[in-house]
Amino acid sequence: MIQTYFNHIRRMLNQVETTETAAMRQAAERTADCIIGGGVVHLFGCGHSHILTEEVFYRAGGLVPIRPIFVEPLMLHEGAVRSSELERQNGLASTFMEEQDIRPGEVAFVLSTSGRNPVPVDVVLAAKEKGAFTIGITSLEYSQSQPSRHTSGKHLYDAADLVINNYAVKGDAVLKHPDIPIPFTPTSTVIGAALLNAVLASAIERMAERGFQPPVFLSGNIDGADRHNAALIERYKERIPLLK
């Protein structure tokens, strides 16, 4: 099963690279524009999708102006089953999105593999109202196989300005065994992490090509990094309180 899983991941990564490069380049250009213009990049996900917002936040080798939107009841540590129930509630996003400091011209990534639940859709709609360019990372196959739970009938891919397909299968589980009645082992986190990091790498490259020094963290475990990182944190800490 180890080789089988790795083969699945390799195929999916190749598929994303082949079909989604244009969308990833557009996402990278928007991200570069946002940061060069003094903005920050926002990310949101519920349940396991929130893991990807942490993947690129405060990360060695990663961009500093990354602002995850953490809503703890929609994560897993306060109750996993409850978080799934909350994600399905229409209107819930209004309880936390109104206070989010999202400004015109900024970028908001919203991650939901199924793309069918109301909270991610409402987060996209709220971010757009604030003037952000929204990017949905989702599975079109999965989304199109299931009806939306949003009152509008929209999925994430209907609501976002730009969609990047992570190619997860319906249910996200890719492995099968003759003695196991259901498929097992997900892919969306592995593919999503590669996809997001590729977009941000391209954004960093674009900033440099335009003569703008990309604000990138050094690993805190490298001597001399603290001074470098402290200067960047000082620059962005008012917009990203989690950096304090």
Side-chain angles (χ1 to χ4, degrees), residues 24-219:
M24 289 192 288
R25 285 175 176 160
Q26 186 178 348
E29 188 65 29
R30 289 283 188 162
T31 299
D33 288 343
C34 168
I35 293 172
I36 291 172
V40 301
V41 176
H42 310 267
L43 297 101
F44 175 81
C46 299
H48 284 91
S49 292
H50 103 271
I51 293 170
L52 295 176
T53 74
E54 294 201 56
E55 160 65 20
V56 295
F57 173 62
Y58 192 59
R59 189 64 189 262
L63 285 165
V64 179
I66 296 290
R67 181 180 175 273
I69 300 173
F70 290 150
V71 182
E72 294 195 13
L74 291 166
M75 295 156 71
L76 302 173
H77 60 281
E78 289 189 354
V81 173
R82 179 62 173 155
S83 73
S84 294
E85 294 171 349
L86 291 173
E87 185 182 0
R88 298 180 182 187
Q89 290 188 12
N90 282 276
L92 180 67
S94 64
T95 66
F96 61 85
M97 282 303 292
E98 185 176 346
E99 67 189 26
Q100 301 302 321
D101 182 14
I102 299 174
R103 303 180 184 180
E106 294 188 331
V107 170
F109 287 84
V110 178
L111 304 108
S112 172
T113 294
S114 77
R116 68 181 302 208
N117 288 315
V119 169
V121 173
D122 282 335
V123 168
V124 163
L125 297 176
K128 290 171 80 168
E129 286 181 4
K130 290 174 177 283
F133 182 81
T134 58
I135 302 169
I137 297 179
T138 189
S139 165
L140 294 182
E141 176 184 334
Y142 196 164
S143 295
Q144 292 167 357
S145 75
Q146 303 296 309
S148 171
R149 293 187 172 114
H150 194 269
T151 53
S152 69
K154 290 183 177 180
H155 290 76
L156 178 60
Y157 70 81
D158 297 307
D161 295 307
L162 176 69
V163 174
I164 304 176
N165 190 358
N166 68 11
Y167 281 92
V169 300
K170 174 184 173 182
D172 199 16
V174 293
L175 299 184
K176 297 179 180 179
H177 188 280
D179 297 325
I180 301 173
I182 60 173
F184 54 97
T185 313
T187 64
S188 57
T189 303
V190 177
I191 302 302
L195 190 161
L196 262 181
N197 279 303
V199 168
L200 298 182
S202 180
I204 290 167
E205 177 187 41
R206 288 163 191 268
M207 289 180 228
E209 289 174 346
R210 291 164 63 178
F212 180 85
Q213 186 62 42
V216 174
F217 278 120
L218 280 171
S219 169

Side-chain angles (χ1 to χ4, degrees), residues 218-229:
L218 280 171
S219 169
N221 295 309
I222 294 176
D223 288 346
D226 288 353
R227 180 179 295 180
H228 170 88
N229 291 341

